[in-house]
Amino acid sequence: MSNYVKLATDAGDQYLTSLAEMQEKFLKASAAFATKFASTAPAIEMPAALAALPTAQEVSEANFAFAQKLLKQQKGFTDKLFASSPTPAAK
């Protein structure tokens, strides 16, 4: 049996760890930037016509919810496909 799953999982975990570290650094830098310039930025009032539009957070939530459903459906399809296919002979 191949050790591909272990290798892929380890590589994926290393990538995700590095990504999380970079994201944390970015968040810290963004917070420092916002704190430094918050008092100098003028307050902007949103026009009434734009109030009905979704916020960036709402759009993000909807997109990630869809992506999760899509990934779950694709995994189910792939599992069924492999279950219905003949297994290749081991070499």
Side-chain angles (χ1 to χ4, degrees):
M1 175 156 226
S2 167
N3 64 345
Y4 172 78
V5 173
K6 181 182 179 340
L7 292 172
T9 301
D10 290 347
D13 289 346
Q14 288 176 359
Y15 172 79
L16 292 174
T17 298
S18 296
L19 179 62
E21 290 172 5
M22 288 185 289
Q23 289 170 331
E24 283 302 314
K25 289 177 183 178
F26 179 82
L27 291 173
K28 286 179 184 177
S30 295
F33 182 83
T35 301
K36 184 173 184 176
F37 294 103
S39 61
T40 61
I44 299 173
E45 192 171 321
M46 183 177 292
L50 297 180
L53 295 176
T55 64
Q57 185 172 1
E58 289 171 330
V59 171
S60 177
E61 287 294 324
N63 286 325
F64 278 108
F66 172 76
Q68 287 175 327
K69 289 177 185 178
L70 176 63
L71 190 58
K72 182 178 178 182
Q73 182 173 331
Q74 287 298 100
K75 183 179 183 327
F77 168 76
T78 304
D79 290 344
K80 290 175 186 175
L81 178 65
F82 288 141
S84 68
S85 300
T87 32
K91 292 182 179 183

Coordinates of all heavy atoms in Angstrom, one line a residue:
M1 N 0.8 -1.2 0.0 CA 0.0 0.0 0.0 C 0.9 1.2 0.0 O 1.9 1.3 0.7 CB -0.9 0.0 1.2 CG -1.8 1.2 1.4 SD -3.2 0.8 2.4 CE -4.4 1.6 1.4
S2 N 0.5 2.2 -0.7 CA 1.2 3.5 -0.9 C 1.1 4.3 0.4 O 0.2 4.3 1.1 CB 0.6 4.3 -2.0 OG 1.1 5.6 -2.0
N3 N 2.2 5.1 0.6 CA 2.1 6.0 1.8 C 1.8 7.4 1.3 O 2.1 8.4 2.0 CB 3.5 6.0 2.5 CG 4.7 6.5 1.7 OD1 4.6 6.6 0.5 ND2 5.7 6.7 2.4
Y4 N 1.1 7.5 0.1 CA 0.8 8.8 -0.4 C -0.1 9.6 0.5 O 0.2 10.8 0.7 CB 0.0 8.6 -1.8 CG -0.5 9.9 -2.3 CD1 0.3 10.9 -2.9 CD2 -1.9 10.2 -2.1 CE1 -0.2 12.1 -3.3 CE2 -2.4 11.5 -2.5 CZ -1.5 12.4 -3.1 OH -2.0 13.6 -3.5
V5 N -1.1 9.0 1.1 CA -2.0 9.8 2.0 C -1.2 10.4 3.1 O -1.4 11.6 3.4 CB -3.1 8.9 2.5 CG1 -4.0 9.6 3.5 CG2 -4.0 8.4 1.4
K6 N -0.3 9.7 3.7 CA 0.5 10.3 4.8 C 1.4 11.4 4.3 O 1.4 12.5 5.0 CB 1.3 9.2 5.5 CG 2.2 9.8 6.7 CD 3.0 8.7 7.3 CE 3.9 9.2 8.5 NZ 4.1 10.6 8.6
L7 N 2.0 11.2 3.2 CA 2.9 12.3 2.7 C 2.1 13.5 2.3 O 2.5 14.6 2.6 CB 3.6 11.7 1.4 CG 4.7 10.7 1.7 CD1 5.2 10.1 0.4 CD2 5.8 11.2 2.6
A8 N 0.9 13.3 1.6 CA 0.1 14.4 1.3 C -0.5 15.1 2.5 O -0.5 16.4 2.5 CB -1.1 13.9 0.4
T9 N -0.9 14.4 3.5 CA -1.4 15.0 4.7 C -0.3 15.8 5.4 O -0.6 16.9 5.9 CB -1.9 13.9 5.7 OG1 -3.0 13.2 5.0 CG2 -2.5 14.5 6.9
D10 N 0.9 15.2 5.5 CA 2.0 16.0 6.2 C 2.3 17.2 5.4 O 2.5 18.3 6.0 CB 3.2 15.1 6.2 CG 3.1 13.9 7.2 OD1 2.1 14.0 8.0 OD2 3.9 13.0 7.2
A11 N 2.4 17.2 4.1 CA 2.7 18.4 3.3 C 1.6 19.4 3.4 O 1.8 20.6 3.6 CB 2.9 18.0 1.8
G12 N 0.3 18.9 3.4 CA -0.8 19.8 3.6 C -0.8 20.5 4.9 O -1.1 21.7 5.0
D13 N -0.5 19.7 6.0 CA -0.4 20.3 7.3 C 0.7 21.4 7.4 O 0.5 22.4 8.1 CB -0.2 19.2 8.4 CG -1.4 18.3 8.5 OD1 -2.5 18.7 8.1 OD2 -1.3 17.2 9.1
Q14 N 1.8 21.1 6.8 CA 2.9 22.1 6.8 C 2.5 23.3 6.1 O 2.8 24.5 6.6 CB 4.2 21.5 6.2 CG 4.9 20.4 7.0 CD 6.1 19.8 6.3 OE1 6.3 20.1 5.1 NE2 6.7 18.9 6.9
Y15 N 1.9 23.2 5.0 CA 1.4 24.4 4.2 C 0.4 25.2 5.1 O 0.5 26.4 5.1 CB 0.7 23.9 2.9 CG 0.0 25.0 2.2 CD1 0.8 26.0 1.5 CD2 -1.3 25.2 2.3 CE1 0.2 27.0 0.8 CE2 -2.0 26.3 1.6 CZ -1.2 27.2 0.9 OH -1.8 28.2 0.3
L16 N -0.6 24.5 5.7 CA -1.6 25.2 6.5 C -1.0 25.9 7.7 O -1.4 27.0 8.1 CB -2.7 24.2 6.9 CG -3.6 23.7 5.7 CD1 -4.5 22.6 6.2 CD2 -4.3 24.8 5.0
T17 N 0.0 25.3 8.3 CA 0.7 25.9 9.4 C 1.4 27.2 9.0 O 1.3 28.2 9.6 CB 1.7 24.9 10.0 OG1 1.0 23.8 10.5 CG2 2.5 25.6 11.2
S18 N 2.1 27.1 7.9 CA 2.8 28.3 7.3 C 1.8 29.4 6.9 O 2.0 30.6 7.2 CB 3.6 27.9 6.1 OG 4.6 27.1 6.4
L19 N 0.7 29.0 6.3 CA -0.4 29.9 5.9 C -1.0 30.6 7.2 O -1.1 31.8 7.2 CB -1.5 29.2 5.1 CG -2.6 30.1 4.7 CD1 -2.2 31.2 3.7 CD2 -3.7 29.2 4.0
A20 N -1.2 29.8 8.2 CA -1.8 30.4 9.4 C -0.8 31.4 10.0 O -1.3 32.5 10.5 CB -2.1 29.3 10.4
E21 N 0.5 31.1 10.0 CA 1.5 32.1 10.6 C 1.5 33.4 9.8 O 1.5 34.4 10.3 CB 2.8 31.4 10.6 CG 3.0 30.3 11.6 CD 4.3 29.6 11.5 OE1 5.2 29.9 10.7 OE2 4.5 28.6 12.2
M22 N 1.4 33.2 8.4 CA 1.4 34.4 7.6 C 0.2 35.3 7.8 O 0.2 36.5 7.8 CB 1.6 34.1 6.1 CG 3.0 33.6 5.8 SD 3.2 33.3 4.0 CE 2.2 31.8 3.8
Q23 N -1.0 34.6 7.9 CA -2.2 35.3 8.2 C -2.2 36.0 9.5 O -2.7 37.2 9.6 CB -3.4 34.3 8.1 CG -3.7 33.7 6.8 CD -4.7 32.6 6.8 OE1 -4.8 31.8 7.7 NE2 -5.4 32.4 5.7
E24 N -1.7 35.4 10.5 CA -1.6 36.1 11.8 C -0.7 37.3 11.8 O -1.0 38.4 12.3 CB -1.0 35.1 12.9 CG -2.1 34.1 13.4 CD -3.3 34.8 14.0 OE1 -3.1 35.8 14.8 OE2 -4.4 34.4 13.6
K25 N 0.4 37.2 11.0 CA 1.3 38.4 10.9 C 0.6 39.5 10.1 O 0.7 40.7 10.4 CB 2.6 38.0 10.1 CG 3.5 37.1 11.0 CD 4.8 36.7 10.2 CE 5.6 35.8 11.1 NZ 6.8 35.3 10.4
F26 N -0.1 39.1 9.1 CA -0.9 40.1 8.3 C -1.9 40.8 9.2 O -2.1 42.0 9.1 CB -1.6 39.4 7.1 CG -2.4 40.4 6.3 CD1 -1.8 41.2 5.3 CD2 -3.8 40.5 6.5 CE1 -2.5 42.1 4.6 CE2 -4.5 41.4 5.7 CZ -3.9 42.2 4.8
L27 N -2.7 40.0 10.0 CA -3.7 40.6 10.9 C -3.1 41.6 11.9 O -3.6 42.6 12.2 CB -4.5 39.5 11.6 CG -5.4 38.6 10.7 CD1 -5.9 37.5 11.5 CD2 -6.5 39.5 10.1
K28 N -1.9 41.2 12.4 CA -1.2 42.1 13.4 C -0.8 43.4 12.7 O -1.0 44.5 13.3 CB 0.0 41.4 14.0 CG -0.4 40.3 15.0 CD 0.8 39.7 15.6 CE 0.4 38.6 16.6 NZ 1.6 37.9 17.1
A29 N -0.3 43.3 11.5 CA 0.2 44.5 10.8 C -1.1 45.3 10.4 O -1.0 46.6 10.5 CB 0.9 44.1 9.5
S30 N -2.1 44.7 10.0 CA -3.4 45.4 9.6 C -3.9 46.2 10.8 O -4.4 47.3 10.8 CB -4.4 44.5 9.1 OG -4.0 43.9 7.9
A31 N -3.9 45.5 12.0 CA -4.4 46.1 13.2 C -3.6 47.3 13.6 O -4.1 48.4 14.0 CB -4.5 45.1 14.3
A32 N -2.2 47.2 13.5 CA -1.3 48.3 13.8 C -1.6 49.4 12.9 O -1.6 50.6 13.3 CB 0.1 47.8 13.8
F33 N -1.7 49.2 11.6 CA -2.0 50.2 10.6 C -3.3 50.9 10.9 O -3.4 52.2 10.9 CB -2.0 49.6 9.2 CG -2.3 50.6 8.1 CD1 -1.2 51.3 7.6 CD2 -3.5 50.8 7.6 CE1 -1.4 52.2 6.6 CE2 -3.7 51.7 6.6 CZ -2.7 52.4 6.1
A34 N -4.3 50.2 11.2 CA -5.7 50.7 11.5 C -5.6 51.6 12.7 O -6.2 52.7 12.8 CB -6.7 49.6 11.6
T35 N -4.9 51.1 13.7 CA -4.8 51.9 15.0 C -4.1 53.2 14.7 O -4.5 54.3 15.2 CB -4.0 51.1 16.0 OG1 -4.8 49.9 16.3 CG2 -3.9 51.8 17.3
K36 N -3.0 53.2 14.0 CA -2.2 54.3 13.7 C -3.0 55.4 12.9 O -2.8 56.6 13.2 CB -0.9 54.0 12.9 CG 0.0 55.1 12.7 CD 1.3 54.7 12.1 CE 2.3 55.8 12.0 NZ 3.6 55.4 11.5
F37 N -3.8 55.0 12.0 CA -4.4 56.0 11.1 C -5.9 56.1 11.4 O -6.6 56.9 10.7 CB -4.2 55.6 9.6 CG -2.8 55.7 9.2 CD1 -2.0 54.6 9.1 CD2 -2.2 56.9 9.0 CE1 -0.7 54.7 8.7 CE2 -0.9 57.0 8.6 CZ -0.1 55.9 8.5
A38 N -6.5 55.5 12.4 CA -7.9 55.6 12.6 C -8.4 57.0 13.0 O -9.4 57.4 12.6 CB -8.3 54.6 13.7
S39 N -7.6 57.7 13.8 CA -8.0 59.0 14.2 C -7.9 60.0 13.1 O -8.5 61.1 13.2 CB -7.1 59.4 15.4 OG -5.7 59.5 15.0
T40 N -7.1 59.8 12.0 CA -7.0 60.8 11.0 C -7.9 60.5 9.8 O -8.1 61.4 9.0 CB -5.5 60.8 10.4 OG1 -5.2 59.5 9.9 CG2 -4.5 61.1 11.5
A41 N -8.5 59.4 9.8 CA -9.5 59.0 8.7 C -10.8 59.7 8.9 O -11.4 59.6 10.1 CB -9.7 57.5 8.6
P42 N -11.4 60.4 7.9 CA -12.7 61.0 8.1 C -13.8 60.0 8.2 O -13.7 58.9 7.6 CB -12.8 61.9 6.9 CG -12.0 61.2 5.9 CD -10.9 60.6 6.6
A43 N -14.8 60.3 9.0 CA -16.0 59.4 9.1 C -16.8 59.5 7.8 O -17.0 60.6 7.3 CB -16.8 59.7 10.2
I44 N -17.1 58.4 7.2 CA -17.8 58.3 5.9 C -19.2 57.7 6.2 O -19.3 56.6 6.7 CB -17.1 57.5 4.9 CG1 -15.7 58.1 4.6 CG2 -17.9 57.4 3.6 CD1 -14.9 57.3 3.7
E45 N -20.2 58.5 5.8 CA -21.6 58.0 6.0 C -22.0 57.2 4.7 O -21.8 57.7 3.6 CB -22.6 59.1 6.2 CG -23.9 58.7 6.7 CD -24.8 59.9 7.2 OE1 -24.2 60.8 7.8 OE2 -26.0 59.8 6.9
M46 N -22.6 56.0 4.9 CA -23.0 55.2 3.8 C -24.3 55.8 3.2 O -25.3 56.1 3.9 CB -23.3 53.8 4.2 CG -23.6 52.9 3.0 SD -23.8 51.1 3.4 CE -22.2 50.7 3.8
P47 N -24.4 56.0 1.8 CA -25.6 56.4 1.2 C -26.7 55.4 1.4 O -26.5 54.2 1.5 CB -25.2 56.5 -0.3 CG -23.7 56.5 -0.3 CD -23.3 55.8 0.9
A48 N -27.9 55.9 1.5 CA -29.1 55.1 1.8 C -29.3 54.0 0.7 O -29.7 52.9 1.0 CB -30.4 55.9 1.9
A49 N -28.9 54.3 -0.5 CA -29.1 53.4 -1.6 C -28.2 52.2 -1.5 O -28.5 51.1 -1.9 CB -28.8 54.1 -3.0
L50 N -27.1 52.3 -0.8 CA -26.1 51.2 -0.6 C -26.4 50.4 0.7 O -25.9 49.3 0.9 CB -24.7 51.7 -0.5 CG -24.2 52.4 -1.7 CD1 -22.7 52.9 -1.5 CD2 -24.2 51.5 -2.9
A51 N -27.3 50.9 1.5 CA -27.6 50.2 2.8 C -28.3 48.8 2.6 O -28.1 48.0 3.4 CB -28.5 51.1 3.6
A52 N -29.0 48.7 1.4 CA -29.6 47.4 1.2 C -28.7 46.3 0.6 O -29.0 45.2 0.6 CB -30.8 47.6 0.2
L53 N -27.5 46.8 0.2 CA -26.5 45.8 -0.3 C -25.9 45.0 0.8 O -25.8 45.4 1.9 CB -25.4 46.5 -1.1 CG -25.8 47.3 -2.3 CD1 -24.6 48.1 -2.9 CD2 -26.4 46.3 -3.4
P54 N -25.5 43.7 0.5 CA -24.9 42.9 1.5 C -23.5 43.4 1.9 O -22.8 44.0 1.1 CB -24.8 41.5 0.9 CG -24.8 41.8 -0.6 CD -25.6 43.0 -0.8
T55 N -23.1 43.2 3.1 CA -21.8 43.5 3.5 C -20.8 42.5 3.0 O -21.1 41.5 2.5 CB -21.7 43.5 5.1 OG1 -21.8 42.2 5.5 CG2 -22.7 44.4 5.7
A56 N -19.5 42.9 3.0 CA -18.5 42.0 2.6 C -18.5 40.8 3.4 O -18.2 39.7 2.8 CB -17.1 42.7 2.6
Q57 N -18.8 40.9 4.7 CA -18.8 39.7 5.5 C -19.9 38.8 5.1 O -19.8 37.5 5.1 CB -18.9 40.1 7.0 CG -18.8 38.9 7.9 CD -18.7 39.3 9.4 OE1 -18.8 40.4 9.7 NE2 -18.6 38.3 10.2
E58 N -21.1 39.3 4.8 CA -22.2 38.5 4.4 C -21.9 37.8 3.1 O -22.3 36.6 2.9 CB -23.5 39.4 4.2 CG -24.1 39.9 5.5 CD -25.2 40.9 5.3 OE1 -25.1 41.7 4.3 OE2 -26.1 41.0 6.2
V59 N -21.3 38.5 2.1 CA -20.9 37.8 0.8 C -19.9 36.7 1.1 O -20.1 35.6 0.5 CB -20.4 38.9 -0.1 CG1 -19.8 38.2 -1.4 CG2 -21.4 39.9 -0.5
S60 N -19.0 37.0 1.9 CA -17.9 36.0 2.3 C -18.6 34.7 2.9 O -18.3 33.6 2.5 CB -16.9 36.6 3.2 OG -16.0 35.6 3.6
E61 N -19.5 34.9 3.9 CA -20.1 33.8 4.5 C -20.9 33.0 3.5 O -20.9 31.7 3.6 CB -21.1 34.3 5.6 CG -20.4 34.8 6.9 CD -19.6 33.7 7.6 OE1 -20.1 32.6 7.7 OE2 -18.5 34.0 8.1
A62 N -21.7 33.6 2.6 CA -22.5 32.9 1.6 C -21.6 32.1 0.7 O -21.9 30.9 0.4 CB -23.3 33.9 0.9
N63 N -20.5 32.7 0.3 CA -19.5 32.0 -0.6 C -18.9 30.8 0.1 O -18.7 29.7 -0.6 CB -18.5 33.0 -1.2 CG -19.1 33.9 -2.2 OD1 -20.0 33.5 -3.0 ND2 -18.6 35.1 -2.2
F64 N -18.4 31.0 1.3 CA -17.8 29.8 2.0 C -18.8 28.7 2.3 O -18.5 27.5 2.2 CB -17.1 30.3 3.3 CG -15.7 30.9 3.0 CD1 -15.5 32.2 3.1 CD2 -14.7 30.0 2.6 CE1 -14.2 32.7 2.9 CE2 -13.4 30.5 2.4 CZ -13.2 31.9 2.5
A65 N -20.1 29.1 2.6 CA -21.1 28.1 2.8 C -21.3 27.3 1.6 O -21.4 26.0 1.6 CB -22.4 28.7 3.3
F66 N -21.4 27.9 0.4 CA -21.5 27.2 -0.8 C -20.4 26.3 -1.1 O -20.5 25.2 -1.5 CB -21.7 28.2 -2.0 CG -21.7 27.6 -3.3 CD1 -22.8 26.9 -3.8 CD2 -20.6 27.7 -4.1 CE1 -22.8 26.2 -5.0 CE2 -20.6 27.0 -5.4 CZ -21.7 26.3 -5.8
A67 N -19.1 26.9 -0.9 CA -17.9 26.1 -1.2 C -17.9 24.8 -0.3 O -17.5 23.7 -0.8 CB -16.7 26.9 -0.9
Q68 N -18.3 24.9 0.9 CA -18.4 23.7 1.8 C -19.4 22.7 1.3 O -19.1 21.5 1.3 CB -18.7 24.1 3.2 CG -17.6 24.9 4.0 CD -18.0 25.3 5.3 OE1 -19.2 25.7 5.6 NE2 -17.1 25.3 6.3
K69 N -20.5 23.2 0.9 CA -21.5 22.2 0.3 C -21.0 21.6 -1.0 O -21.2 20.4 -1.2 CB -22.8 23.0 0.0 CG -23.6 23.4 1.2 CD -24.8 24.2 0.8 CE -25.6 24.7 2.0 NZ -26.7 25.5 1.7
L70 N -20.4 22.4 -1.8 CA -19.8 21.8 -3.1 C -18.8 20.8 -2.8 O -18.8 19.7 -3.4 CB -19.3 23.0 -3.9 CG -18.6 22.6 -5.2 CD1 -19.5 21.9 -6.2 CD2 -17.9 23.8 -5.9
L71 N -17.9 21.1 -1.9 CA -16.8 20.1 -1.6 C -17.4 18.8 -1.0 O -16.9 17.7 -1.4 CB -15.8 20.8 -0.6 CG -14.5 20.0 -0.3 CD1 -13.7 19.8 -1.6 CD2 -13.7 20.8 0.7
K72 N -18.4 19.0 -0.1 CA -19.0 17.8 0.5 C -19.7 16.9 -0.7 O -19.5 15.7 -0.7 CB -20.0 18.2 1.5 CG -20.7 17.0 2.2 CD -21.7 17.5 3.2 CE -22.4 16.3 3.9 NZ -23.4 16.8 4.9
Q73 N -20.4 17.6 -1.6 CA -21.0 16.9 -2.7 C -20.0 16.2 -3.6 O -20.2 15.1 -4.0 CB -21.9 17.9 -3.5 CG -22.6 17.2 -4.6 CD -23.6 18.1 -5.3 OE1 -24.1 19.1 -4.7 NE2 -23.9 17.9 -6.5
Q74 N -18.9 16.9 -3.9 CA -17.9 16.3 -4.8 C -17.2 15.1 -4.1 O -16.9 14.2 -4.8 CB -16.8 17.4 -5.1 CG -17.3 18.4 -6.1 CD -17.7 17.8 -7.4 OE1 -18.9 17.6 -7.7 NE2 -16.7 17.5 -8.3
K75 N -17.0 15.2 -2.8 CA -16.4 14.1 -2.1 C -17.3 12.9 -2.1 O -16.9 11.8 -2.4 CB -16.1 14.4 -0.6 CG -15.4 13.3 0.1 CD -15.0 13.6 1.5 CE -14.3 12.5 2.2 NZ -14.5 11.1 1.8
G76 N -18.6 13.1 -1.9 CA -19.6 12.0 -1.9 C -19.6 11.4 -3.3 O -19.7 10.1 -3.4
F77 N -19.6 12.2 -4.4 CA -19.6 11.7 -5.7 C -18.3 10.9 -6.0 O -18.4 9.8 -6.5 CB -19.7 12.9 -6.7 CG -19.4 12.4 -8.1 CD1 -20.3 11.7 -8.9 CD2 -18.1 12.8 -8.7 CE1 -20.0 11.3 -10.2 CE2 -17.8 12.4 -10.0 CZ -18.8 11.7 -10.7
T78 N -17.2 11.4 -5.5 CA -15.9 10.7 -5.8 C -15.9 9.4 -5.0 O -15.4 8.3 -5.6 CB -14.7 11.6 -5.3 OG1 -14.8 12.8 -6.1 CG2 -13.4 10.9 -5.6
D79 N -16.4 9.4 -3.8 CA -16.4 8.1 -3.0 C -17.3 7.1 -3.7 O -16.9 5.9 -3.8 CB -17.0 8.4 -1.6 CG -16.0 9.1 -0.7 OD1 -14.8 9.2 -1.1 OD2 -16.4 9.7 0.3
K80 N -18.5 7.5 -4.2 CA -19.3 6.6 -5.0 C -18.7 6.1 -6.3 O -18.8 4.9 -6.6 CB -20.7 7.2 -5.3 CG -21.5 7.5 -4.0 CD -22.8 8.3 -4.4 CE -23.6 8.6 -3.2 NZ -24.7 9.5 -3.5
L81 N -18.0 7.0 -6.9 CA -17.3 6.6 -8.2 C -16.3 5.5 -7.9 O -16.2 4.5 -8.6 CB -16.7 7.8 -8.8 CG -15.9 7.6 -10.1 CD1 -16.8 7.1 -11.2 CD2 -15.2 8.9 -10.5
F82 N -15.4 5.8 -6.9 CA -14.4 4.8 -6.6 C -15.0 3.5 -6.1 O -14.5 2.4 -6.4 CB -13.5 5.3 -5.5 CG -12.5 6.4 -6.0 CD1 -12.2 7.5 -5.2 CD2 -12.0 6.3 -7.3 CE1 -11.4 8.4 -5.7 CE2 -11.1 7.3 -7.7 CZ -10.8 8.4 -6.9
A83 N -16.1 3.5 -5.4 CA -16.8 2.3 -4.9 C -17.4 1.5 -6.0 O -17.4 0.3 -6.0 CB -17.9 2.7 -3.9
S84 N -17.8 2.2 -7.1 CA -18.4 1.5 -8.2 C -17.4 1.0 -9.3 O -17.7 0.3 -10.2 CB -19.5 2.3 -8.9 OG -18.9 3.4 -9.5
S85 N -16.2 1.5 -9.2 CA -15.1 1.2 -10.2 C -14.4 -0.1 -9.7 O -14.1 -0.3 -8.5 CB -14.2 2.3 -10.3 OG -14.8 3.5 -10.8
P86 N -13.9 -0.8 -10.7 CA -13.1 -2.0 -10.3 C -11.7 -1.5 -9.7 O -11.2 -0.5 -10.2 CB -12.9 -2.8 -11.6 CG -13.3 -1.8 -12.7 CD -14.1 -0.8 -12.1
T87 N -11.2 -2.1 -8.7 CA -10.0 -1.7 -8.1 C -8.8 -2.2 -9.0 O -8.8 -3.3 -9.5 CB -9.8 -2.3 -6.7 OG1 -10.5 -3.5 -6.6 CG2 -10.3 -1.3 -5.7
P88 N -7.8 -1.3 -9.2 CA -6.6 -1.8 -10.0 C -5.9 -2.8 -9.2 O -5.8 -2.9 -8.0 CB -5.8 -0.5 -10.1 CG -6.3 0.4 -9.0 CD -7.7 0.0 -8.7
A89 N -5.3 -3.7 -10.0 CA -4.5 -4.8 -9.4 C -3.2 -4.3 -8.8 O -2.6 -3.4 -9.3 CB -4.1 -5.8 -10.5
A90 N -2.9 -4.8 -7.6 CA -1.6 -4.3 -7.0 C -0.4 -4.9 -7.7 O -0.4 -6.0 -8.2 CB -1.6 -4.8 -5.5
K91 N 0.6 -4.0 -7.8 CA 1.8 -4.5 -8.5 C 2.8 -5.0 -7.6 O 2.9 -4.7 -6.5 CB 2.4 -3.3 -9.3 CG 1.5 -2.9 -10.5 CD 2.1 -1.8 -11.2 CE 1.2 -1.4 -12.4 NZ 1.8 -0.4 -13.2

